[in-house]
Amino acid sequence: MIILVVNAGSSSLKYQLINSIDGEVYASGNCERIGIAGSKITYKRPDKADFEPLKIVMDLSNHSVAMEKVISLLADKEVGCIKSMDQIDAVGHRVLHGGEKFAGSYVINKDVIEAIKDCIPLGPLHNPANLAGIEACQKAMPGKPQVAVFDTAFHQTMPEEAYMYALPYSYYEDYGVRRYGFHGTSHQYVSQEAAKALGRPAESLKIITCHLGNGSSLAAVKYGKCVDTSMGLTPLAGVPMGTRCGDIDPAVIKYVMEEDPSLTIKDIDRIMNKESGVLGISGVSSDFRDLAQASEQGNQRAALALKMFAYHVKKYIGSYAAAMGGVDAVVFTAGIGENTPEIREAAVEGLGFMGIKVDPAKNLSCNRVGGDISAADATVKVLVIPTNEELMIARETERLTKQA
Ligand code: ADP
């Protein structure tokens, strides 16, 4: 099936026209600065090696205008890849937060839209933008089947001991305060691909997936289902990230606010989301390539940031092996997981006692393409698998529209 995958942000709309069977991407791009001066659309044709990507500067007053333009590009006589909109079988939307209402993907109807609206308090920045993307597609392609794929859904199988916080129970009942987890589409995709690579059914495997990018999270996937994940109520929890602090003692907030009474809770929120993580520690950058360079040049805090990141990933790997009573495979994915052998090596260093060991040469040579990097005598497979959230969304969209 030919699926249009849409990832709408508050002022952006990323799109990919993708074949859900073989994963071929016919067109992709981004509409940027929607509703802001200086908006533009990029349009690429990954299926054509000689295609010069287009950058079109034009007024995009809202998501609907952007969507209309995307469709006209896709079906354009000169640069398009389809004859008409009719060739698009369905649209798959990435939606950030599905709360407890969505444990899977859903064909979008009025009830689903209402339920996504109900989850706005949990995803105040993303859910309204995702709804704007859905509305824009409904307007531009009336009657076309549309599917919502949630970042939180894959984690809904966690048992209550893993998702509850030890706070007054009424916070859970009244406000929905609990661990939800994110990057679900990526964790689901790479765990399924890992099972394929190992030639075994996912239902027989215990897999730890490490999605390490600007935002990073790990998941424990036991017999095909997520049983724990490192992000929480929001994507701030877990390992330290590019600019997010990850797990800290919650009492730090009160302490710091008492030390510096000028700080407001909004400041704290900004500092913990945007000024912490490896950026906060190093004072250099949130980008791991910059940190590696600074560290090589002798910057001690950049080196510390890298060490802390790998150490926390390692602690989660150990704890998830304990949570599942063993582990068959550890999977690295996303920008850092796919491209940074030093972090992969450091994150499993010393885990030989658990059967986790990488082969240094294989680890160095697998960048971007992925592969098995475990040492010959390892009992646990260590795999690098490039993530593909768009393909997962396209597959889910195909599955749901065929069922409908
Ligand atoms: P996001 O969470 O924004 O999708 P990514 O998965 O693209 O982020 O990860 C970005 C991180 O991956 C950055 O810290 C970057 O330094 C790191 N990285 C390392 N090598 C590469 C590479 N070759 N290409 C892209 N990102 C890389």
Side-chain angles (χ1 to χ4, degrees):
M1 282 175 93
I2 310 264
I3 310 288
L4 179 63
V5 174
V6 173
N7 181 0
S10 56
S11 64
S12 69
L13 189 150
K14 291 193 193 117
Y15 63 91
Q16 232 182 59
L17 192 68
I18 185 167
N19 184 323
S20 55
I21 319 262
D22 62 13
E24 180 167 13
V25 178
Y26 304 117
S28 66
N30 193 5
C31 308
E32 292 168 66
R33 300 179 63 86
I34 297 172
I36 309 172
S39 39
K40 65 171 186 215
I41 300 187
T42 53
Y43 179 76
K44 294 183 202 156
R45 287 288 307 275
D47 61 339
K48 281 191 151 186
D50 56 349
F51 187 85
E52 193 64 36
L54 303 181
K55 243 187 215 163
I56 305 163
V57 177
M58 66 177 289
D59 188 30
L60 302 171
S61 49
N62 57 48
H63 286 75
S64 292
V65 174
M67 200 61 237
E68 296 279 0
K69 183 64 192 170
V70 168
I71 291 167
S72 75
L73 280 168
L74 293 173
D76 186 82
K77 279 210 176 76
E78 273 175 35
V79 299
C81 49
I82 50 172
K83 288 205 178 69
S84 80
M85 210 168 70
D86 296 342
Q87 277 181 274
I88 302 174
D89 293 303
V91 184
H93 293 269
R94 179 179 192 175
V95 182
L96 180 84
H97 220 304
E100 287 188 328
K101 289 176 195 283
F102 297 101
S105 310
Y106 282 82
V107 174
I108 296 170
N109 58 25
K110 271 193 186 145
D111 294 342
V112 169
I113 288 184
E114 281 313 308
I116 296 173
K117 280 186 190 160
D118 290 345
C119 296
I120 287 177
L122 292 165
L125 298 178
H126 292 85
N127 277 30
N130 303 149
L131 283 164
I134 292 169
E135 210 176 280
C137 289
Q138 284 177 330
K139 249 194 195 167
M141 294 172 274
K144 191 78 70 191
Q146 305 209 32
V147 169
V149 180
F150 297 88
D151 241 27
T152 50
F154 183 58
H155 304 302
Q156 277 296 305
T157 46
M158 283 187 286
E160 56 187 356
E161 64 270 26
Y163 72 68
M164 284 300 291
Y165 292 133
L167 288 166
Y169 197 79
S170 59
Y171 284 18
Y172 169 64
E173 290 177 311
D174 298 344
Y175 311 133
V177 173
R178 52 159 282 183
R179 179 188 306 282
Y180 290 98
F182 298 87
H183 295 140
T185 319
S186 178
H187 289 294
Q188 185 176 10
Y189 176 79
V190 296
S191 60
Q192 288 178 359
E193 292 299 304
K196 277 189 208 164
L198 297 176
R200 287 174 58 183
E203 292 70 27
S204 71
L205 290 165
K206 296 169 182 169
I207 302 175
I208 298 171
T209 49
C210 312
H211 177 111
L212 311 179
N214 275 322
S216 295
S217 69
L218 285 87
V221 185
K222 189 176 183 181
Y223 307 145
K225 294 199 159 70
C226 176
V227 293
D228 206 348
T229 191
S230 58
M231 283 180 169
L233 173 75
T234 75
L236 186 56
V239 295
M241 303 174 217
T243 60
R244 294 176 225 156
C245 61
D247 297 338
I248 57 164
D249 179 344
V252 168
I253 297 171
K254 173 175 172 287
Y255 180 80
V256 170
M257 287 182 86
E258 280 171 1
E259 290 292 304
D260 179 357
S262 74
L263 286 173
T264 65
I265 202 71
K266 267 198 170 159
D267 293 328
I268 295 283
D269 192 50
R270 187 195 68 249
I271 291 163
M272 290 187 171
N273 274 289
K274 302 216 149 85
E275 297 170 21
S276 298
V278 292
L279 169 68
I281 290 292
S282 67
V284 171
S285 172
S286 63
D287 191 300
F288 276 59
R289 288 166 288 194
D290 299 338
L291 293 175
Q293 202 180 10
S295 166
E296 270 166 33
Q297 289 164 355
N299 186 311
Q300 293 301 312
R301 275 172 44 193
L304 171 63
L306 293 171
K307 266 201 286 193
M308 282 175 67
F309 179 78
Y311 175 69
H312 282 88
V313 171
K314 188 192 316 195
K315 280 214 304 191
Y316 268 104
I317 292 173
S319 68
Y320 286 169
M324 294 192 289
V327 53
D328 298 300
V330 175
V331 181
F332 287 102
T333 194
I336 300 161
E338 291 165 29
N339 297 295
T340 315
E342 298 79 12
I343 292 288
R344 292 192 295 258
E345 188 159 5
V348 299
E349 195 232 318
L351 297 185
F353 75 95
M354 291 165 61
I356 302 177
K357 231 171 158 187
V358 301
D359 178 301
K362 285 187 194 163
N363 185 30
L364 270 181
S365 64
C366 82
N367 277 2
R368 283 184 201 96
V369 287
D372 180 348
I373 61 168
S374 20
D377 59 342
T379 53
V380 176
K381 291 287 180 195
V382 183
L383 307 172
V384 177
I385 299 182
T387 193
N388 193 339
E389 286 158 290
E390 289 79 13
L391 179 56
M392 189 74 224
I393 293 172
R395 284 181 186 166
E396 282 292 276
T397 305
E398 177 187 346
R399 185 176 66 80
L400 269 282
T401 41
K402 275 189 176 161
Q403 266 174 18

